Amino acid sequence: MQLEEEVEDKFELNISITNPEKVGEFHYISPFSTTLPMFRSKTFTVRRRFSDFLGLYEKLSDKHTPNGYIVPPPPEKSIMGMTKVKVGKEDNSSAEFVERRRAALERYLQRVVFHPSLLQDPDVREFLERDDMPRAHNTQALSGAGFLKMINRATDSLSKMTIKMNESDVWFEEKLQEVEAEDQQLRKLHIMVDSLVGHRKELSVNTGGFAKSVAMLGSSEDNTALSRALSQLAEVEDKMEQLHQEQAASDSFCFAELLADYIRLLGSVRASFDQRMKTWQRWQDAQNMLQKKRETEAKLLWANKPDKLQQAKDDITEWEAKVTQYERDFDRVSATVRKEVLRFEKEKACDFKKQIIKYLESLLQSQQQLIKYWEAFLPEAKAIA
Amino acid sequence: LPVPASEKHLHSMMLPAVNVDLQTDATLQVDISDALSERDKVKFTVHTKSTLPNFKQNEFSVVRQHEEFIWLHDSFVENEEYAGYIIPPAPPRPDFDASREKLQKLGEGEGSMTKEEFTKMKQELEAEYLAIFKKTVAMHEVFLCRVAAHPVLRKDMNFHVFLEYNQDLSVRGKNKREKMEDFFKNVVKSADGVLVAGVKDVDDFFEHEKTFLLEYHNRVKDASSKSDRMIRSHKNAADDINRIASTLYTLGTQDSTDVCKYFLLVSLPLQKIEARVAADEDLKLADLLKYYLRESQAAKDLLYRRGRALVDYENANKALDKARAKNKDVLQAETSQQVCCQKFEKISESAKQELIDFKTRRVAAFRKNLVELAELELKHAKGNLQLLQSCVGVLKGDT
């Protein structure tokens, strides 16, 4: 395996997506700044619809997936996401859902521009710069089930392959197995984290209920110091209700969303492997066709039909060229897939590290708050006489 | 089985008065030295040390089951002599159903999880079972200790038989008819209770206590059920976190890539954080509230008995007036009135002291538990904080 030196272009391209506003449908304003010379200006802001993001993905996927690139997928249209588990009352307009979608779109766009090849794509430039985007069509296919179906198309065709690919490089086979195993684990984790979010929200509500009943108990207690301590306890439990709520949000935004992103991304990874298989298949088919043409030529020589011979010879030349071309394509796509996977894994390590740190820091903050609250309460409890 | 820390807590929570030290009262010391959990029953070894002449030996043990504790409690309740005391509440029935069910489910689902996950879950469920077991032992012990510490109840004949008689007491559980009788008795009692409670008491102390206890009992009941609910959610969340931590650990040990390292690192604090806190809250707050729910009911029952005695006394007064007016059966009415008067005054006198002791006990128990709760929460939060800080430090330092 060749170690490819990655020249990291030191450039700046800060993208963020802020406050969506409802103008007919949701428009997302994405201000960003850049030092890259290829953009017209240093800072600019554009408005995009959710369907524009989906349209961008479609364009990029059509162009680059066949060449083995891992094209980052956008978030789903549906509320349910991929686990089909309803966590509490959520609707299209809930603040939580809006925020979740905004953050997901931001991450999506950031992944696209951080991809060195995709950044060069004129469609990406247009998306970032153009004032008015024409409505993207054919994004119906990208809603809910249709979306997942498209991503999983790769795996469907993969499993339907009856011809076992003569794998010259075991790296690809091993990698694909790794990807599939990881996909399973991440899906399992995602379901568990969703369950956790639900239980934490429940805990928050029940803590609030408990806080109120402790307050009531305190007010009926006839020992003054105990009564005061109980009402202080009620306040602490009230603050815990808030803490649990915040923690549930962190579970969801840091953890669950990270997992969801990577489950989708792994789908794109499998798609690129599938493309490589397809190019291999095309090469094999071409080789078979060439063989057939050669047999035809041989038959014609035997049968001594000189008039058809020229056609046969032309066919052979044509297919020889195709075989050469398709072999080159296969090699090129293989190299791209390999490079892409390495890039993806590096990005993934970075991403996970960042999010895990963020998640741990949120847990850390919770503990610090807890310490504060209980330290304030302890003297009240000790004062009971 | 030496009294473990968790039981010690529960045990000393119930000290009747602050200056009565159960441990140094050499005349009568009772504890549960061992317990055995069988299929559908628990066998408690009740161990007694006593210098009292009533007992044949100075130290002895018997084996008792839950029903025998209930028999003893009910015998106190039904004894007219003890009408003026707060009868220590009976210990709740040992209930391992939920825990057993979980263990069974785990066994059924063994095939669907890794060996590590299975072992871990099994350990946890076993720990849960053990915790419930310890708690039921503690509750039964506390009941006996309260009786042993009570100046009057400790002398009770049935109590001595319970402690000493080394055969089965043959107290069967109540049959259906008896349960129905109990049910109706309670219905009548509560209707009566409303009636009696409606009569304004001449004595300010008791009037205040009545109002106070009625409200307090209801609020403790509400707080107890809300705390149970909160703890259940906490346990659910903790279970989720444990499962997540296990999965992260499995993912993390698959190979030595960076991402796997991160998974391993984050699984460690997750495993520690939630489960402990849920268990300790359970012990402190929920048990405290549950116990005072039963105690406040026992105090209410005392007030009810006094109220009944008052009604009887007032009725006897009325009967005496009537008898005097008709000049018929006056002596009989006088005797009856005197008996009622004595009974009422006896109950009132001991009841007053009992209710004052109850308050003292309650305040002391709440103080002890609230302080311990706060200290435990702080200990865990600080431990968790350290663990999280070191994990974050490792992650940030790892370039």
Side-chain angles (χ1 to χ4, degrees), chain A residues 192 195-196 199-200 206 210 213 216-217 219-222 349 353 361 364 367 374-375 382 384, chain B residues 208 212 215-216 219 222-223 227 233 240 247 262 274 359 362 367 377 381-382 384-385 395-396 398:
Chain A
M192 288 182 209
S195 169
L196 173 61
H199 284 142
R200 265 221 236 264
N206 288 338
F210 178 64
S213 81
M216 292 291 275
L217 183 65
S219 70
S220 72
E221 172 59 62
D222 58 1
K353 183 177 182 179
E361 283 182 336
L364 217 153
Q367 299 301 312
W374 288 106
E375 274 181 347
K382 287 188 167 160
I384 300 170
Chain B
H208 166 83
F212 165 74
E215 191 185 63
Y216 187 80
R219 295 205 176 165
D222 187 54
S227 101
S233 316
D240 283 335
T247 309
Y262 306 150
E274 297 289 338
K359 195 177 305 273
R362 184 176 79 245
R367 181 189 192 280
E377 293 266 2
K382 287 180 176 163
N384 294 338
L385 186 65
L395 279 171
K396 280 185 167 168
D398 174 75

Side-chain angles (χ1 to χ4, degrees), chain A residues 34-46:
Chain A
T34 180
T35 56
L36 275 174
M38 71 182 179
F39 290 102
R40 280 181 292 141
S41 54
K42 291 250 173 352
T43 66
F44 36 117
T45 302
V46 292

Side-chain angles (χ1 to χ4, degrees), chain B residues 265-278:
Chain B
L265 262 173
V266 78
S267 73
L268 296 171
L270 285 184
Q271 274 167 343
K272 296 267 163 93
I273 292 179
E274 297 289 338
R276 293 261 68 239
V277 183

